[in-house]
Amino acid sequence: MKRIVLFAIGISLLTVGCGTPLSTIRKVKFSQKNDEITTTPSLKQYLSNNPNPKIVLRTNARLNSDNITEKEQNNYLYNVIESELLKSGFTVRDRQLFEKIVTNADNNNNYENLKEKSDTDLIIELTNLDRSIVYQTNKYYDDKGEEKTSSILANKNFYGATIEFKVVMINTNEFAGIYKFNYVPCVNGCEYKPTSRPTKRELETAKPYEAVEENTLIEFVRSATKQLITEMIN
């Protein structure tokens, strides 16, 4: 019996000493995507002459989901955007009140009426917010920094996000800026400890919807708004 126990311990130590693929921590990295930024000279000139414009954040109807939880989360993100605009000296108009004014046909077709009745200079429209962009790779870096590949890692999803804005100058009805900002996961590297290959049952019962973790998403939206303001002004 003692020989059997000693043999088992020896095999265990040998396995630990050599290291097993399942206990190895691997570092995954993705390359940062370039943001897409377009600001017209007229917008820069306008903000140079009017550093404290009156603006309204308008949201795409597609983003206003019927799902209560998602709608609440979106509203919180809208508040984050408006808060950053306020900090930068912009006068922020009420979104819901603005939409009521826009629904009037006379205002919708006449931008002079819209500007006068809403007392607003710029519309910053949030045209897209996607928090579940999938990133995948079969490449990783080991403890020595050497690049290797793994078929198991290829089944792992990492989630990024993107946010897009459009700026309209009400007095001229001009598209004055288009902005797209990206959040890419693991740009500086994420440690990933692989598990065994998922079974068919595990794949079939996987969660139907996954996305960027909420706190990370909030910080991304905050950072993107700050960058939006910088690009508009400078």
Side-chain angles (χ1 to χ4, degrees):
M1 178 63 72
K2 289 183 178 180
R3 290 184 179 180
I4 295 175
V5 172
L6 290 173
F7 178 76
I9 292 174
I11 291 295
S12 177
L13 291 174
L14 181 61
T15 303
V16 172
C18 296
T20 64
L22 298 183
S23 64
T24 302
I25 294 179
R26 306 169 177 186
K27 182 166 286 190
V28 177
K29 290 184 180 181
F30 293 99
S31 299
Q32 180 64 51
K33 280 186 177 179
N34 293 329
D35 298 323
E36 299 174 22
I37 297 169
T38 302
T39 305
T40 63
S42 56
L43 177 58
K44 289 185 178 293
Q45 184 62 47
Y46 180 83
L47 291 175
S48 177
N49 297 332
N50 303 274
N52 306 109
K54 301 167 185 176
I55 68 97
V56 65
L57 175 66
R58 196 174 187 192
T59 58
N60 192 313
R62 181 176 57 81
L63 300 176
N64 298 323
S65 170
D66 291 333
N67 182 288
I68 295 176
T69 302
E70 188 171 346
K71 180 178 286 189
E72 288 177 350
Q73 185 182 47
N74 281 346
N75 282 332
Y76 185 74
L77 294 174
Y78 303 156
N79 292 339
V80 170
I81 295 171
E82 290 175 331
S83 175
E84 292 304 321
L85 292 169
L86 282 169
K87 290 177 184 177
S88 296
F90 293 1
T91 300
V92 180
R93 296 303 189 202
D94 183 86
R95 276 179 278 126
Q96 295 181 347
L97 180 59
F98 183 83
E99 289 302 323
K100 290 181 179 179
I101 296 173
V102 170
T103 54
N104 185 306
D106 292 336
N107 299 331
N108 203 2
N109 296 325
N110 188 319
Y111 274 77
E112 288 185 8
N113 286 348
L114 180 60
K115 178 176 173 57
E116 180 181 349
K117 294 185 178 181
S118 67
D119 192 21
T120 302
D121 303 313
L122 302 174
I123 299 173
I124 297 180
E125 184 174 350
L126 177 57
T127 57
N128 185 38
L129 175 60
D130 190 341
R131 69 197 75 191
S132 55
I133 298 177
V134 176
Y135 287 80
Q136 290 182 319
T137 182
N138 67 343
K139 296 180 181 180
Y140 70 93
Y141 296 87
D142 63 14
D143 296 338
K144 297 180 180 179
E146 296 180 357
E147 184 179 280
K148 296 184 178 180
T149 61
S150 167
S151 58
I152 296 178
L153 178 60
N155 295 315
K156 167 71 175 176
N157 288 344
F158 297 83
Y159 290 92
T162 186
I163 189 169
E164 299 178 46
F165 298 97
K166 179 174 68 177
V167 178
V168 178
M169 299 173 63
I170 295 181
N171 61 334
T172 59
N173 186 24
E174 176 186 352
F175 287 153
I178 299 175
Y179 309 85
K180 179 179 180 180
F181 303 107
N182 300 292
Y183 166 69
V184 179
C186 306
V187 170
N188 297 318
C190 294
E191 288 190 347
Y192 168 62
K193 185 175 181 179
T195 58
S196 58
R197 187 183 298 275
T199 64
K200 182 179 180 181
R201 180 179 178 81
E202 288 173 334
L203 291 173
E204 290 175 348
T205 58
K207 293 181 179 180
Y209 180 80
E210 293 186 38
V212 174
E213 192 270 334
E214 185 174 332
N215 289 337
T216 300
L217 180 65
I218 290 169
E219 288 308 310
F220 164 60
V221 170
R222 192 188 310 279
S223 175
T225 305
K226 290 179 180 179
Q227 190 174 350
L228 165 69
I229 295 168
T230 298
E231 295 295 340
M232 289 170 58
I233 296 175
N234 299 330

